[in-house]
């Protein structure tokens, strides 16, 4: 499961782990038992970075597709897409 992971982030409370992979997917894991809670599909290609907001309620992802996406951690909904980042 973790062989294609490019990026990881731990939530501020330490209960969730987010991973971004080569297939454009972001997965949200429960640290206590390793359960996959949600899978976000929003990037075409590699997910270079993932980061939690200070509140832990929002997850940001940045991909090779030049998109930055903001996700609702509870529902998995994409809240906003920012396009054409360059780094």
């Amino acid at each position: 499961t973790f062989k294609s992971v490019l990026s990881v982030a731990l939530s501020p409370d330490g209960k969730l782990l987010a991973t971004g992979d080569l297939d454009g997917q972001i997965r949200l894991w429960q640290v206590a038992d390793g359960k996959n809670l949600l899978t976000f599909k929003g990037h075409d290609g590699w997910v270079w970075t993932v980061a939690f907001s200070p509140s832990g309620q929002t997850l940001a992802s940045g991909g090779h597709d030049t998109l930055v996406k903001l996700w609702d951690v509870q529902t998995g909904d994409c809240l906003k897409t920012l396009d054409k980042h360059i780094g």
Side-chain angles (χ1 to χ4, degrees):
T1 302
F2 293 104
K3 68 180 178 180
S4 65
V5 169
L6 294 173
S7 54
V8 297
L10 189 63
S11 65
D13 64 6
K15 294 182 179 180
L16 301 175
L17 179 75
T19 61
D21 68 25
L22 293 170
D23 298 323
Q25 295 185 19
I26 300 108
R27 290 185 172 84
L28 197 60
W29 305 89
Q30 190 166 279
V31 172
D33 60 7
K35 181 181 177 184
N36 182 208
L37 299 174
L38 290 170
T39 300
F40 312 95
K41 177 61 176 152
H43 290 281
D44 292 325
W46 300 1
V47 179
W48 289 114
T49 189
V50 290
F52 283 93
S53 65
S55 70
Q57 298 301 307
T58 304
L59 181 71
S61 63
H64 186 71
D65 56 6
T66 72
L67 299 176
V68 173
K69 293 190 172 251
L70 302 178
W71 304 92
D72 183 308
V73 171
Q74 297 298 315
T75 65
D77 293 336
C78 182
L79 302 171
K80 182 121 178 131
T81 300
L82 309 169
D83 60 358
K84 300 191 184 356
H85 74 83
I86 57 172

